[in-house]
Amino acid sequence: MNPSYKMPKENFVVATPGRSVCDDNARALEHHGLLRFLALATRNGSKGIPPERTRLKPAVGLAAYAAARMLSTFAAESFRMRLHPWFDHWVKKQLEPGNHIISSYGYVNASFQWVRKHGGKTLLDGGNSHPENFWTILSEEHKRWNCPYPPVARHHYERSMAMMEHVDYVLSPSSFVSRSFLERGFKPEQMIRNIYPLDLSCFKPPTEGRPKDRPLTIISTGALSLRKGAPYMLEAFKIVHQKHPSARFRLTNVVQNSAAPILEKYRDLPIDWAPSLPHPQLAQRLQNSDIFVLASLEEGLARTALEAMACGVPVILTPNTGANDFVEAGKIGEVVPIRDPQAIADAILKWGDLIMTRSTPPTRMFDPNLISFESFEADFISQLADRGVLNSPA
């Protein structure tokens, strides 16, 4: 940071309806005395943010919760997104001239416009790729599989697209996200690296070697959906299973509407289902697996893949997962094209041959300090300062 400048205090607003990765940005700002308030549509605030820096609008969250209890998954999500203008209006009333604001797609369009008109900067959390890229690639995928649902409610897509002209900076967690914005007219200096911090204290390699009697065990954690490439992973495992009849595929029993009909076609495969697990149990499940697979067509940063790598599990990823930025092909896994089950299967078989003959325990596949909160905070604040968002003449 330039020593000839000083930081203004308490002029950042972070506004998201639910607790999210933006909470980490809020915590970093709070540590430096830069957070004015964190706005949430929940009953409770976020850890590390004091009450005096927290503004809550639980009525919005309560309405979304009621919809989730009464409507289908897609209808409830669509209704929840209809509530964003209400949340936006509430946030806007609390803004002051000179405030900067951090939010994500379609949440606070009017607030973004107000901030720019009154001397502040707007920062978009790029938790997914540019809305146009998101919509294009997933609309094609939904059409391919005759899915009756759009990738997301069209009104939310349109609201997200309208927000783009009011974005000063994109908080980007991966090269995939950055590229999607650069290809649509954003400039490199508008990209702020924002690799989400992750607590890996539970995720460590096993201390003992691989049991010789364990069948080849592939794992993918997280929900199953078209966006996450569920049909390509299942087809790849079908290919693998033909060569390794004892192989098994570990999945999480959280299936999105878009993937449910496809899953029926693979009911004969040996799938080991588990519910969503707390970190200690999830880490144990990863430690007892051989290869992690994620075939996403669109993802900002798949932290599930980083958890697997922290456990010493090699990963097979597409270039659209974000986590592929951490993969050195041939050393800690492979990066394969999207929509290519044969390439996934070939990579699994390649690594399976290596793993099943290994006698020593695996090692961590990357330095966890790269995604510690301390590294995230230092990098985030430094980049804001470098772009002049923090500094004012001394």
Side-chain angles (χ1 to χ4, degrees):
M1 298 183 189
N2 190 332
S4 66
Y5 282 75
K6 64 181 180 181
M7 292 185 186
K9 299 296 181 180
E10 301 173 6
N11 65 340
F12 274 84
V13 171
V14 179
T16 59
R19 286 186 288 276
S20 71
V21 294
C22 293
D23 292 9
D24 290 314
N25 298 100
R27 280 186 277 274
L29 292 166
E30 171 62 19
H31 290 170
H32 289 262
L34 296 164
L35 181 67
R36 182 162 170 250
F37 64 85
L38 169 65
L40 297 167
T42 57
R43 292 184 298 172
N44 301 307
S46 183
K47 183 180 179 181
I49 307 298
E52 62 270 21
R53 298 271 183 255
T54 303
R55 310 285 174 87
L56 302 177
K57 185 71 170 177
V60 177
L62 182 61
Y65 174 77
R69 294 292 297 258
M70 296 185 293
L71 303 175
S72 69
T73 301
F74 181 81
E77 180 186 64
S78 179
F79 178 82
R80 174 173 57 80
M81 291 170 172
R82 288 284 189 192
L83 300 173
H84 292 164
W86 180 15
F87 178 75
D88 186 10
H89 177 71
W90 171 71
V91 171
K92 181 184 171 184
K93 291 192 299 182
Q94 302 176 76
L95 297 172
E96 296 177 351
N99 283 167
H100 307 310
I101 188 168
I102 297 174
S103 191
S104 197
Y105 300 107
Y107 291 160
V108 290
N109 290 28
S111 297
F112 263 42
Q113 294 178 55
W114 193 96
V115 163
R116 295 185 95 198
K117 288 179 180 178
H118 292 83
K121 297 295 184 182
T122 59
L123 298 91
L124 176 80
D125 167 48
N128 294 96
S129 60
H130 188 286
E132 185 178 60
N133 186 71
F134 178 97
W135 184 265
T136 299
I137 194 170
L138 293 182
S139 291
E140 179 184 346
E141 191 67 10
H142 282 223
K143 182 178 180 180
R144 174 180 292 219
W145 296 100
N146 297 314
C147 179
Y149 306 100
V152 70
R154 176 171 282 277
H155 65 82
H156 178 69
Y157 163 65
E158 293 172 350
R159 184 172 168 85
S160 297
M161 283 295 296
M163 192 184 207
M164 294 303 99
E165 65 178 290
H166 305 293
V167 173
D168 289 311
Y169 297 99
V170 178
L171 303 179
S172 173
S174 65
S175 60
F176 172 64
V177 169
S178 294
R179 188 166 56 250
S180 73
F181 280 87
L182 295 172
E183 290 172 349
R184 289 164 176 81
F186 281 72
K187 299 176 181 179
E189 55 268 27
Q190 290 180 274
M191 300 296 112
I192 293 178
R193 186 174 51 254
N194 195 58
I195 300 173
Y196 305 137
L198 191 60
D199 180 5
L200 295 175
S201 57
C202 290
F203 298 93
K204 300 175 182 178
T207 56
E208 299 180 357
R210 182 185 188 278
K212 293 183 178 180
D213 59 347
R214 185 169 77 198
L216 180 61
T217 303
I218 299 97
I219 187 169
S220 187
T221 53
L224 293 175
S225 66
L226 291 182
R227 182 171 71 86
K228 292 181 178 289
Y232 308 107
M233 292 193 297
L234 290 164
E235 184 62 25
F237 180 66
K238 182 178 179 180
I239 297 170
V240 170
H241 188 247
Q242 291 170 352
K243 295 192 175 184
H244 287 272
S246 64
R248 56 182 175 176
F249 197 6
R250 288 179 159 170
L251 295 173
T252 300
N253 198 13
V254 178
V255 182
Q256 301 296 323
N257 291 344
S258 64
I262 296 163
L263 191 62
E264 289 297 325
K265 301 176 183 178
Y266 295 95
R267 287 296 182 187
D268 59 326
L269 293 177
I271 295 177
D272 174 9
W273 293 99
S276 295
L277 298 171
H279 280 178
Q281 287 90 333
L282 177 60
Q284 187 177 37
R285 189 167 167 86
L286 284 165
Q287 291 163 356
N288 292 317
S289 301
D290 295 317
I291 301 168
F292 177 93
V293 178
L294 186 61
S296 294
L297 280 75
E298 196 288 331
E299 193 127 17
L301 177 60
R303 288 178 287 181
T304 53
L306 301 180
E307 292 168 347
M309 284 189 274
C311 290
V313 179
V315 296
I316 312 299
L317 307 174
T318 68
N320 295 13
T321 60
N324 58 288
D325 289 346
F326 292 81
V327 175
E328 187 176 354
K331 291 190 175 181
I332 60 175
E334 305 290 340
V335 178
V336 299
I338 62 170
R339 301 185 174 120
D340 194 337
Q342 186 63 58
I344 298 171
D346 289 344
I348 292 173
L349 292 170
K350 169 189 170 180
W351 279 90
D353 289 342
L354 294 171
I355 290 167
M356 294 181 76
T357 58
R358 184 177 63 195
S359 59
T360 57
T363 58
R364 247 182 185 168
M365 302 256 176
F366 72 106
D367 182 0
N369 291 323
L370 294 173
I371 53 174
S372 68
F373 181 79
E374 291 74 19
S375 294
F376 165 82
E377 178 180 339
D379 195 33
F380 176 53
I381 297 298
S382 177
Q383 289 180 90
L384 292 181
D386 289 345
R387 286 160 177 76
V389 181
L390 296 186
N391 298 341
S392 61

